[in-house]
Amino acid sequence: MSNDTTPKGITALIYRDSLGIDFSNRGISAQVTEVTVIGPGIDPIFPASKERPAVRIVTGESFDGGITIHAVPVTAEGEPAPWYMFGGTFIFSSDSRFRAAAGHYGALPLHDRQE
């Protein structure tokens, strides 16, 4: 039996502004080009790593009653989750499991900016 607690999921690419400006205030998108999407309904295939940190998909409700979907970095167990905001980057994977987890085909905003 393995004691490995590394989160596992599917990989997604980070898409950023073509000017290369970091609007994330040194968030994970300023440091890497890929992430590992983890969470319910996502097959645990690839382990998260320093090169591909773990993010999870968050679904919520907007002020006008619509649905919002975005991704946030996963914090270590036992640590308080910081409040993140949109830093200008998106994540996407052509893997059909990403589409199923996101609920639509397309890129998701990555909320990795902290102030």
Side-chain angles (χ1 to χ4, degrees), residues 57-112:
I57 296 174
V58 176
T59 304
E61 188 175 328
S62 66
F63 294 111
D64 64 357
I67 301 295
T68 64
I69 304 171
H70 61 274
V72 297
V74 173
T75 55
E77 193 171 322
E79 289 185 24
W83 186 78
Y84 291 107
M85 65 184 104
F86 184 56
T89 57
F90 296 84
I91 63 169
F92 177 76
S93 174
S94 60
D95 190 318
S96 63
R97 293 169 289 208
F98 181 82
R99 178 181 182 180
H104 67 88
Y105 183 78
L108 290 179
L110 176 60
H111 288 208
D112 66 334

Side-chain angles (χ1 to χ4, degrees), residues 1-91:
M1 176 152 59
S2 174
N3 288 335
D4 185 15
T5 59
T6 303
K8 295 180 181 178
I10 58 173
T11 59
L13 295 171
I14 294 177
Y15 291 90
R16 60 181 45 83
D17 179 273
S18 64
L19 297 175
I21 300 170
D22 174 27
F23 296 107
S24 72
N25 198 19
R26 295 181 298 280
I28 63 170
S29 62
Q31 303 164 30
V32 298
T33 58
E34 294 180 82
V35 293
T36 303
V37 183
I38 66 167
I42 297 177
D43 294 335
I45 300 171
F46 303 105
S49 66
K50 185 176 179 181
E51 295 80 24
R52 285 190 199 104
V55 299
R56 63 183 172 84
I57 296 174
V58 176
T59 304
E61 188 175 328
S62 66
F63 294 111
D64 64 357
I67 301 295
T68 64
I69 304 171
H70 61 274
V72 297
V74 173
T75 55
E77 193 171 322
E79 289 185 24
W83 186 78
Y84 291 107
M85 65 184 104
F86 184 56
T89 57
F90 296 84
I91 63 169

